[in-house]
Amino acid sequence: MSELPPNFDETIQYFQNRLNEHGATPRGVDWNSETAQEVRFAQLAKVCNARQPFSLLDYGSGYGALANYLRKMGYPLARYMGYDILPDMVTEARKQHSDHPERTFTADLSELHPMDYVIASGIFNIKLDASIESWRQYVIGVLNKIDGLAEKGFSFNMLTIYSDVDHMRPNLYYADPCFFFDYCKRHFSRNVALLHDYEVYDFTILVRK
C-alpha cells in the first residue's frame, strides 16, 4: 500500500488545473464554496482537545484554510504543519501564511513528523479513473501513515455510498462508512466515532488514542 495516489501524475495535473483556474481559494482545492469547506472543518476539528494548546498536521492542506478556520473558532493551535502533494499549492500557502511563523508547509512526505493531531479533509474524494479497489488500498495506506503521525488522534472525511445516485460522479470515490469505521476500530483505537448526521454527502471519522 502506498501513501501516494495510484494515478499520481493525473491527480497532480487535476489539482494543478484547479489551482491555475481558481487560485488559492476553496474552488482551487475543489470545494464548491467556503461554506462547504467549513462545514467539513467543523466536523473534523471535533477530534481536537480545545482546552489546551496542541500541534496539528493538516494532511492535504491545500493553501492552509484549516489553520485560519481553527484560529477563527478560537482553537489554541500552537503549531501547524500543512502537507500537500502539489508543490505550487505549498508555495501559495507559504505566501498566504508568511506572517505566521508557527505555520509551516511542505510537499515532502519525508519532512512529516508526529504531531498531537492529524486532520485530512477531502483528500480521498477525487479518484479520477483509478479503480475502486486500487483507490481503497491507497486510502488504507494513507490512514496507516496518518495513524503513525498522530499522537493523540486523527480525523478524516470521505464521500458516502449513501449519496443520491443521481448526484454521484464516476470520477469520485464513494466510501462505505461502516467499512472504514470497522477498519479504524480494529487497527487504530477503541475510541472511534462516525459522524454521518450533517447535511452534506460525506461522513467524518474521529479516532482518539
Side-chain angles (χ1 to χ4, degrees):
M1 291 180 288
S2 172
E3 296 113 19
L4 295 175
N7 48 358
F8 179 79
D9 291 341
E10 291 85 354
T11 300
I12 285 285
Q13 189 60 56
Y14 179 90
F15 284 105
Q16 185 70 58
N17 291 343
R18 300 287 82 69
L19 178 62
N20 293 345
E21 186 175 357
H22 301 290
T25 65
R27 290 186 65 81
V29 290
D30 221 33
W31 291 118
N32 292 331
S33 65
E34 184 176 353
T35 299
Q37 190 179 52
E38 292 195 348
V39 165
R40 276 83 177 185
F41 287 167
Q43 305 301 319
L44 292 160
K46 291 177 180 179
V47 76
C48 301
N49 182 353
R51 295 187 297 274
Q52 59 188 27
F54 60 86
S55 60
L56 175 74
L57 170 59
D58 185 359
Y59 198 103
S61 58
Y63 58 94
L66 177 60
N68 291 334
Y69 172 82
L70 292 173
R71 185 183 186 191
K72 180 175 74 172
M73 300 305 293
Y75 281 84
L77 180 58
R79 191 158 50 97
Y80 169 96
M81 173 175 273
Y83 163 72
D84 200 273
I85 64 171
L86 185 63
D88 284 356
M89 187 67 78
V90 169
T91 299
E92 288 298 318
R94 288 171 176 163
K95 290 178 185 176
Q96 291 204 11
H97 299 265
S98 60
D99 56 343
H100 293 279
E102 76 283 3
R103 302 178 187 177
T104 59
F105 294 87
T106 183
D108 186 350
L109 271 172
S110 69
E111 293 184 2
L112 303 187
H113 52 80
M115 306 281 262
D116 290 332
Y117 300 103
V118 181
I119 289 179
S121 180
I123 68 171
F124 301 127
N125 295 346
I126 312 294
K127 74 174 185 65
L128 301 177
D129 60 354
S131 70
I132 291 174
E133 182 55 32
S134 67
W135 195 259
R136 184 168 74 166
Q137 290 305 308
Y138 156 65
V139 172
I140 290 171
V142 172
L143 292 179
N144 279 274
K145 174 72 171 180
I146 286 174
D147 177 63
L149 292 166
E151 295 187 328
K152 295 183 178 179
F154 64 91
S155 59
F156 62 96
N157 55 21
M158 286 191 278
L159 298 172
T160 176
I161 58 169
Y162 297 103
S163 300
D164 294 341
V165 174
D166 58 339
H167 284 82
M168 296 171 81
R169 291 160 40 192
N171 66 330
L172 302 181
Y173 177 65
Y174 298 89
D176 181 347
C178 299
F179 171 86
F180 284 100
F181 174 82
D182 181 76
Y183 189 90
C184 291
K185 289 281 283 188
R186 293 181 184 276
H187 292 86
F188 303 139
S189 175
R190 295 180 181 179
N191 301 319
V192 178
L194 169 61
L195 311 179
H196 207 332
D197 60 346
Y198 52 105
E199 294 300 315
V200 290
Y201 291 102
D202 59 37
F203 63 91
T204 298
I205 288 182
L206 313 178
V207 178
R208 295 185 176 93
K209 299 186 177 182

